[in-house]
Amino acid sequence: MLIAEPLEIAIQQLSKLPGIGRKTALRLSLFILRQSEADVSKMTESLLKLKSDIKFCSECFNLSVDELCPICSSTTRDKSVICIVEEINDVVAIEKTNDYKGIFHVLGGVLSPLDGIGPENLKIKELMRRIEKIKPSELILAMNPNTEGEATALYIANLLQETNIKITRIARGLPIGSDLEFADEATITRALEGRIQIK
Amino acid sequence: MLIAEPLEIAIQQLSKLPGIGRKTALRLSLFILRQSEADVSKMTESLLKLKSDIKFCSECFNLSVDELCPICSSTTRDKSVICIVEEINDVVAIEKTNDYKGIFHVLGGVLSPLDGIGPENLKIKELMRRIEKIKPSELILAMNPNTEGEATALYIANLLQETNIKITRIARGLPIGSDLEFADEATITRALEGRIQIK
């Protein structure tokens, strides 16, 4: 096939991105070709700056430009509540609600013995050290509601059995806007177990 | 929401790409953050090089590094057959078959009065000039099988009514691997009309 070399290289590079195959990479490349030179360099600069300027917060391992992320260095956040999440995306998802006022701890993954990921590969040691230092009143376990997430939540809860910190797990149940008819059994079971009294 | 600024800018830039929303842009940004600095600059360089090095072939308007694209400058391609396509993607799709030995002409779109795209917005004048110069024996109309594509094919065929060039249209019918049961009526009608004798 006779594809111009710079196009072929751009396609190869773009298709390394997650969820982007050769066809999408070609479409993106042709879109980029139609942009102005200034627009293209604005985009590539933003990616280089992303890589060079962003580090991990030394406290919670969220993304940060400085030593501490904006959440850890904020004076208005409640430092007695730590929400433990798997990945940085989860911080973004929770922050979007504008409802959570505590701080975070990003584990950087979940326990997954099949993939060779044990407690030493996650920021669990760092979490324990932080708990000792901050002495929070509550830990919210906000791992995803799947096997690995539940196992990781259980593992952390077990580590802290001896302490008197309140440990909570985010509710599992029917998502807003969904339909009982189409929900799976495990979700309905959890929704029933987690029912709350309204009167 | 407290998102680090370089991340926010990268998300904004990436979500300008077609088919990429904020969530995907965030996922791509976090992936880029996990790459090595060398890998990121390799990717951004490929995009800048794509933009700076690629021009349009002065003959067929395919992408090209030089004045003429590899297909137009090839000595092994049959210059008496011109395949007329809408976009550069279509050249790539046809070249992938390794079956077509003629040359191309990229219109850069299709006639679409509702979007204000008339013949003067497409490379139709250039096509006529090329036909006069090359005097091809066959023109293959390979526009997409939809209303605009059919209208554009008809328009070009009408322009060339007075000449004795053979004008063909790519076959419309059932795609390989598909199922008659699930095909739409228009496709089945075309497949019946275009039936070929096998004995």
Side-chain angles (χ1 to χ4, degrees), chain B:
Chain B
M1 198 196 345
L2 295 163
I3 276 194
E5 206 199 342
L7 177 61
E8 178 59 40
I9 295 174
I11 291 175
Q12 278 173 15
Q13 287 293 327
L14 286 174
S15 46
K16 283 183 189 165
L17 294 172
I20 291 186
R22 265 195 76 89
K23 275 201 180 173
T24 311
L26 171 63
R27 197 150 42 82
L28 295 182
S29 300
L30 294 177
F31 176 85
I32 288 168
L33 266 171
R34 280 194 294 268
Q35 302 303 102
S36 74
E37 205 131 335
D39 279 350
V40 177
S41 66
K42 222 193 251 172
M43 189 180 78
T44 55
E45 265 162 39
S46 81
L47 299 183
L48 291 170
K49 233 177 136 53
L50 173 71
K51 182 64 197 167
S52 64
D53 288 9
I54 288 204
K55 296 179 274 290
F56 292 99
C57 171
S58 62
E59 277 289 314
C60 72
F61 304 99
N62 183 14
L63 297 179
S64 178
V65 181
D66 306 306
E67 172 79 12
L68 286 183
C69 75
I71 297 171
C72 283
S73 59
S74 161
T75 53
T76 60
R77 309 287 298 225
D78 179 1
K79 300 231 160 52
S80 68
V81 182
I82 305 180
C83 178
I84 304 172
V85 294
E86 295 178 17
E87 299 283 3
I88 290 149
N89 318 26
D90 304 325
V91 175
V92 177
I94 293 176
E95 281 296 282
K96 257 200 224 156
T97 66
N98 268 324
D99 248 352
Y100 179 65
K101 294 289 162 244
I103 56 175
F104 289 94
H105 189 88
V106 181
L107 292 176
V110 272
L111 295 177
S112 177
L114 286 178
D115 302 317
I117 297 174
E120 65 284 0
N121 301 112
L122 306 177
K123 303 291 183 194
I124 290 182
K125 234 180 15 228
E126 288 81 353
L127 173 65
M128 294 304 148
R129 241 181 273 138
R130 243 182 125 197
I131 289 173
E132 237 168 73
K133 203 177 75 179
I134 306 183
K135 299 199 197 314
S137 59
E138 181 175 355
L139 280 186
I140 303 174
L141 301 173
M143 287 96 223
N144 286 324
N146 52 31
T147 322
E148 288 92 352
E150 301 289 354
T152 311
L154 207 65
Y155 179 85
I156 293 176
N158 275 340
L159 283 183
L160 296 164
Q161 234 170 9
E162 309 285 282
T163 64
N164 55 3
I165 304 169
K166 181 171 151 195
I167 298 179
T168 57
R169 178 92 174 92
I170 49 167
R172 280 135 308 170
L174 293 161
I176 304 298
S178 69
D179 207 315
L180 247 175
E181 185 182 352
F182 303 117
D184 61 292
E185 295 82 355
T187 302
I188 296 179
T189 305
R190 290 293 194 170
L192 285 171
E193 281 174 8
R195 67 188 182 278
I196 50 176
Q197 193 174 350
I198 52 172
K199 193 182 156 292

Side-chain angles (χ1 to χ4, degrees), chain A residues 79-115:
Chain A
K79 301 234 159 51
S80 68
V81 182
I82 305 180
C83 179
I84 305 172
V85 294
E86 296 177 16
E87 299 283 1
I88 289 149
N89 319 28
D90 304 326
V91 175
V92 177
I94 293 175
E95 281 296 282
K96 258 199 224 156
T97 66
N98 269 322
D99 248 354
Y100 178 65
K101 293 291 164 241
I103 55 176
F104 289 94
H105 189 88
V106 182
L107 292 177
V110 272
L111 296 177
S112 179
L114 285 178
D115 301 318

Side-chain angles (χ1 to χ4, degrees), chain A residues 31-143:
Chain A
F31 176 85
I32 288 168
L33 266 171
R34 280 194 293 267
Q35 302 304 103
S36 75
E37 206 130 337
D39 280 349
V40 176
S41 65
K42 222 194 251 170
M43 188 179 79
T44 55
E45 264 161 39
S46 79
L47 299 184
L48 291 170
K49 235 176 134 52
L50 172 71
K51 181 65 196 166
S52 64
D53 288 8
I54 287 205
K55 297 177 274 290
F56 293 99
C57 171
S58 63
E59 278 288 315
C60 73
F61 304 99
N62 184 13
L63 297 180
S64 177
V65 181
D66 306 306
E67 173 77 12
L68 286 183
C69 76
I71 297 173
C72 283
S73 58
S74 162
T75 54
T76 59
R77 307 291 295 227
D78 179 2
K79 301 234 159 51
S80 68
V81 182
I82 305 180
C83 179
I84 305 172
V85 294
E86 296 177 16
E87 299 283 1
I88 289 149
N89 319 28
D90 304 326
V91 175
V92 177
I94 293 175
E95 281 296 282
K96 258 199 224 156
T97 66
N98 269 322
D99 248 354
Y100 178 65
K101 293 291 164 241
I103 55 176
F104 289 94
H105 189 88
V106 182
L107 292 177
V110 272
L111 296 177
S112 179
L114 285 178
D115 301 318
I117 298 174
E120 65 283 359
N121 301 113
L122 306 177
K123 303 291 184 195
I124 290 183
K125 234 179 14 230
E126 290 81 353
L127 173 65
M128 294 305 146
R129 241 181 273 139
R130 246 182 121 194
I131 290 174
E132 239 167 72
K133 203 176 76 183
I134 307 181
K135 298 201 198 312
S137 59
E138 182 177 355
L139 280 186
I140 303 173
L141 301 174
M143 286 98 224

Side-chain angles (χ1 to χ4, degrees), chain A residues 174-187:
Chain A
L174 293 163
I176 306 297
S178 69
D179 206 315
L180 248 176
E181 185 183 351
F182 303 118
D184 61 291
E185 295 83 354
T187 301

